[in-house]
Amino acid sequence: MAGASSSSKGIEFFKVFLPSSSSNHMSIPPAFVNKLKAGLPGKAILKDFSGRSWHVGLEIIERHLHFTSGWEKFASDHFLEHGDFLIFKYDGNSLFNVKIFGLNGCKKEVVNNEGIKRGQVKDKEEEEQKKKEDNKDAQTDNSLAEKEKSGPSDEQNGSKKRKRATTKLEENEIQDTAECVQPKNPRFVVNITKYYRYFLHVPGSFLNEHRIKLMHDLILHHQNDKWPVKVVIRNDGRHAITTGWIDFVRKNEIEAKDKCVFDAVLGTSNTCEQMHVQVIRAKPRVK
């Protein structure tokens, strides 16, 4: 397909990011396509305010043109959230300049010289708070591990301890998962925030400590179900669970302040293609 004519330069359209329909691909308004003097090729380039570029595919899905391959990375690298407002300005030669605005009406600036950061979505204070919570979880896990080594009486009373922990959860008192499930694999705990309901970062310290090679295609096991998800590596080296995570969160009714406990199942050379997930509810669900 021939590239769009340079006379089409300057044409704009806007889209609202909706995770349920925009995480894997983003549709392009037919009215915009009709205004182009010539068709678009099978690929395009998206450039953000910082001048960085992302290569994306262009495909027809259900009779509409979409940004496809590469769009998922663009969305995750810019921490797109429900309701974010995007303006696409066509600059000719299949190049689109993209401006992104958050729910507060301000432009989201999520890239700096040190790599990608959350901008309005996740500020430094929230990051520091998360580190403190992760350290607290790690200390709690270590403390519980020491208790498990204290003697036979702990083993004899293990069943009672697990029952008591479950009762406390139902009473809205969150206990560390180690009291409920004996860890058999390398484990990390994530406190779910509003941000983490859309995609989730795997702690780099966890991967480095256990020398884990996290595979791109990952299976999450929860209860009796399997959930295929994708793992992407961001420009700053962080690993993020993206495609499929939203469905996992929605179907399992995971909310902010819940905890997710991940047990990594390791294969040869410490590769990880599967994780078992336990959800610790911050409050009882009303059925």
Side-chain angles (χ1 to χ4, degrees):
M1 186 184 296
S5 170
S6 59
S7 62
S8 302
K9 184 176 180 179
I11 300 176
E12 297 181 320
F13 68 90
F14 76 86
K15 294 291 295 186
V16 177
F17 184 79
L18 302 174
S20 60
S21 60
S22 307
S23 294
N24 301 329
H25 47 78
M26 171 68 81
S27 64
I28 300 175
F32 168 82
V33 178
N34 293 336
K35 286 185 177 182
L36 296 178
K37 301 300 181 181
L40 289 167
K43 295 182 179 179
I45 299 173
L46 304 180
K47 181 185 291 186
D48 68 8
F49 78 99
S50 70
R52 296 174 46 152
S53 298
W54 284 255
H55 291 263
V56 297
L58 288 169
E59 297 179 34
I60 300 294
I61 301 177
E62 297 180 353
R63 297 184 296 179
H64 295 293
L65 190 64
H66 287 70
F67 295 123
T68 53
S69 59
W71 168 257
E72 178 185 330
K73 181 168 178 55
F74 177 86
S76 62
D77 283 352
H78 290 84
F79 302 99
L80 296 186
E81 288 191 306
H82 186 282
D84 281 352
F85 190 88
L86 295 86
I87 297 177
F88 297 81
K89 182 177 181 180
Y90 188 63
D91 200 34
N93 298 320
S94 300
L95 173 64
F96 292 83
N97 290 300
V98 187
K99 293 181 180 180
I100 306 171
F101 297 85
L103 289 175
N104 60 1
C106 296
K107 185 168 67 174
K108 293 176 65 172
E109 298 181 356
V110 294
V111 180
N112 63 11
N113 293 331
E114 299 176 353
I116 297 178
K117 64 180 182 179
R118 287 188 58 190
Q120 286 83 9
V121 181
K122 181 180 182 183
D123 57 24
K124 292 183 179 179
E125 292 182 359
E126 183 178 348
E127 182 70 26
E128 290 301 321
Q129 180 62 31
K130 182 181 181 302
K131 288 181 180 178
K132 291 179 182 179
E133 292 173 348
D134 287 344
N135 290 336
K136 183 179 179 180
D137 289 331
Q139 292 172 1
T140 303
D141 279 342
N142 291 335
S143 176
L144 289 167
E146 290 298 323
K147 290 181 181 179
E148 289 172 0
K149 299 177 183 178
S150 61
S153 60
D154 287 338
E155 295 180 0
Q156 295 172 357
N157 296 326
S159 176
K160 293 181 180 180
K161 287 183 179 180
R162 286 192 289 273
K163 289 181 180 179
R164 287 199 296 270
T166 303
T167 302
K168 289 181 180 180
L169 288 175
E170 293 172 350
E171 294 173 355
N172 196 27
E173 295 181 11
I174 297 301
Q175 301 294 324
D176 189 275
T177 315
E179 295 184 9
C180 305
V181 177
Q182 298 298 326
K184 297 179 181 179
N185 303 301
R187 160 180 293 180
F188 67 93
V189 181
V190 173
N191 297 288
I192 301 300
T193 65
K194 177 182 177 182
Y195 158 70
Y196 273 149
R197 293 181 63 210
Y198 299 106
F199 43 85
L200 182 138
H201 285 129
V202 179
S205 58
F206 168 79
L207 297 177
N208 294 333
E209 178 184 355
H210 301 283
R211 299 181 179 179
I212 295 173
K213 181 179 179 182
L214 196 58
M215 307 306 289
H216 176 66
D217 294 300
L218 183 68
I219 300 295
L220 301 181
H221 296 263
H222 177 59
Q223 296 178 344
N224 296 321
D225 294 322
K226 297 180 181 180
W227 303 84
V229 296
K230 299 291 185 182
V231 175
V232 299
I233 302 178
R234 302 194 188 283
N235 292 352
D236 60 0
R238 288 183 295 173
H239 290 69
I241 299 175
T242 56
T243 303
W245 175 250
I246 293 176
D247 290 334
F248 178 83
V249 169
R250 185 188 305 113
K251 295 295 178 61
N252 292 289
E253 299 180 339
I254 298 173
E255 298 179 356
K257 298 184 180 181
D258 288 346
K259 285 186 179 182
C260 285
V261 183
F262 295 81
D263 287 274
V265 180
L266 301 184
T268 56
S269 301
N270 274 19
T271 58
C272 179
E273 297 179 304
Q274 302 182 61
M275 287 188 180
H276 292 276
V277 186
Q278 183 183 7
V279 181
I280 307 297
R281 308 292 184 186
K283 57 183 178 181
R285 301 295 186 261
V286 178
K287 296 184 178 179

